């Protein structure tokens, strides 16, 4: 579906305006995201090193999926608002006040999603996760028997490197999850395109069948007409047919006028 057609659909008039349907879904999703952000913060900033725990990882992944879904809906709604602003005459049922309210809603929703995104992957959250990773590595590996300041510094460096490796692996997991979401969206789009192509193919086949039937009927009529007029000159036959059609049209015009 093209952007213009999508905008036409989302901005259509009537009581069941799809814009408001998507808006209600987005509001519910934003409320769910903010609730999950509270759970995320409780796990991340709670006592102990919880950044590597399974409940925290599950919560972070689920939160990331919800945020990406909300961003996709926001992108669609933003496109519809932009489309209406560019072509006001095509949407007379949306007055300036309604358009302003839609624009304000999209802006406010973007701010809420940005806040959630920052809570999950902002500098403060990343610093806490890195610190938790380092503490977890130190707890698992110990100090390697270090006694001097230099040995302790080396041990701290090793712990830091391993913590950074875990952080890199976490970022790779995030990227793979985003890629998985993108693949799912492409698959959904491909399925829609495939369905549309099948529908159009059936329509073309039906049209070809009707055209074949019409051609056969026309050939039959022309054959009968050639026998009636005792001529096989195609030009003469088509001229007679055209003049007959014109005559019928003129008679109808005279009758109706």
């Amino acid at each position: 579906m093209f952007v213009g057609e999508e905008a036409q659909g989302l901005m259509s008039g009537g009581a069941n305006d799809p814009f408001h349907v998507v808006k209600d879904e987005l509001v519910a999703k934003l409320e769910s995201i903010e609730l999950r952000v509270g759970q995320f913060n409780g796990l991340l900033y709670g006592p102990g090193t919880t950044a590597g725990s399974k409940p925290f990882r599950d919560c972070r992944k689920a939160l990331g999926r919800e945020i990406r879904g909300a961003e996709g809906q926001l992108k669609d709604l933003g496109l519809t608002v932009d489309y209406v602003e560019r072509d006001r005459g095509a949407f007379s049922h949306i007055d300036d006040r309604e358009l302003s309210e839609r624009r304000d809603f999209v802006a406010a929703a973007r701010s809420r999603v940005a806040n959630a995104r920052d809570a999950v992957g902002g500098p403060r959250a990343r610093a806490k996760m890195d610190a938790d990773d380092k503490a977890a590595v130190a707890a698992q590996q110990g100090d390697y028997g270090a006694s001097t300041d230099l040995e302790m510094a080396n041990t701290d460096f090793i712990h830091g490197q391993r913590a950074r490796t875990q952080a890199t692996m976490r970022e790779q997991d995030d990227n793979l999850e985003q890629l998985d979401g993108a693949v799912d969206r492409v698959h959904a789009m491909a399925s829609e395109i495939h369905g549309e192509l099948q529908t159009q193919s059936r329509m073309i086949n039906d049209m070809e069948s009707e055209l074949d039937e019409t051609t056969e009927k026309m050939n039959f009529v022309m054959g009968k007409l050639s026998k009636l007029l005792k001529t096989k000159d195609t030009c003469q036959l088509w001229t007679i047919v055209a003049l007959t059609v014109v005559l019928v049209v003129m008679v109808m015009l005279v009758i109706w006028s």
Side-chain angles (χ1 to χ4, degrees), residues 31-221:
E31 291 175 352
S32 174
I33 287 174
E34 289 169 349
L35 178 63
R36 201 179 291 273
V37 166
Q39 297 173 350
F40 174 87
N41 288 334
L43 291 171
L44 180 60
Y45 301 108
T49 57
T50 58
S53 66
K54 188 177 186 302
F56 174 82
R57 292 197 304 270
D58 293 342
C59 179
R60 187 167 181 266
K61 287 183 178 180
L63 187 53
R65 286 193 295 268
E66 288 193 77
I67 290 175
R68 288 192 294 274
E71 288 173 339
Q73 288 183 313
L74 268 174
K75 182 179 179 181
D76 292 338
L77 291 182
L79 287 174
T80 61
V81 173
D82 293 340
Y83 190 83
V84 172
E85 288 179 335
R86 291 196 302 268
D87 191 4
R88 296 293 289 117
F91 304 95
S92 57
H93 65 285
I94 302 177
D95 56 25
D96 292 340
R97 180 186 61 81
E98 171 68 15
L99 180 59
S100 177
E101 290 178 354
R102 295 187 181 197
R103 190 188 304 110
D104 292 343
F105 169 78
V106 171
R110 280 176 178 159
S111 178
R112 293 171 68 179
V113 172
N115 290 338
R117 174 69 73 182
D118 182 69
V120 175
R124 180 168 178 258
R126 289 191 176 278
K128 180 60 169 62
M129 286 186 284
D130 290 344
D132 282 2
D133 289 340
K134 188 174 180 179
V137 170
Q140 292 175 0
Q141 304 297 329
D143 58 7
Y144 301 105
S147 56
T148 65
D149 292 340
L150 180 59
E151 291 174 343
M152 292 297 294
N154 290 336
T155 299
D156 185 67
F157 174 78
I158 293 172
H159 290 166
Q161 289 296 108
R162 291 186 175 178
R164 277 190 286 274
T165 300
Q166 291 184 358
T168 301
M169 294 176 62
R170 184 170 56 242
E171 291 178 359
Q172 290 176 347
D173 289 341
D174 293 342
N175 292 334
L176 288 175
E177 185 125 359
Q178 292 182 18
L179 181 60
D180 182 63
V183 170
D184 289 340
R185 289 192 295 273
V186 171
H187 175 71
M189 292 174 61
S191 298
E192 290 183 7
I193 293 172
H194 178 67
E196 184 67 22
L197 289 176
Q198 285 185 323
T199 301
Q200 293 183 4
S201 178
R202 287 193 296 269
M203 292 174 62
I204 291 174
N205 291 334
D206 293 341
M207 186 175 64
E208 288 178 349
S209 298
E210 293 177 0
L211 184 60
D212 291 339
E213 292 178 3
T214 303
T215 301
E216 290 179 2
K217 291 178 181 179
M218 182 60 69
N219 290 336
F220 177 78
V221 171

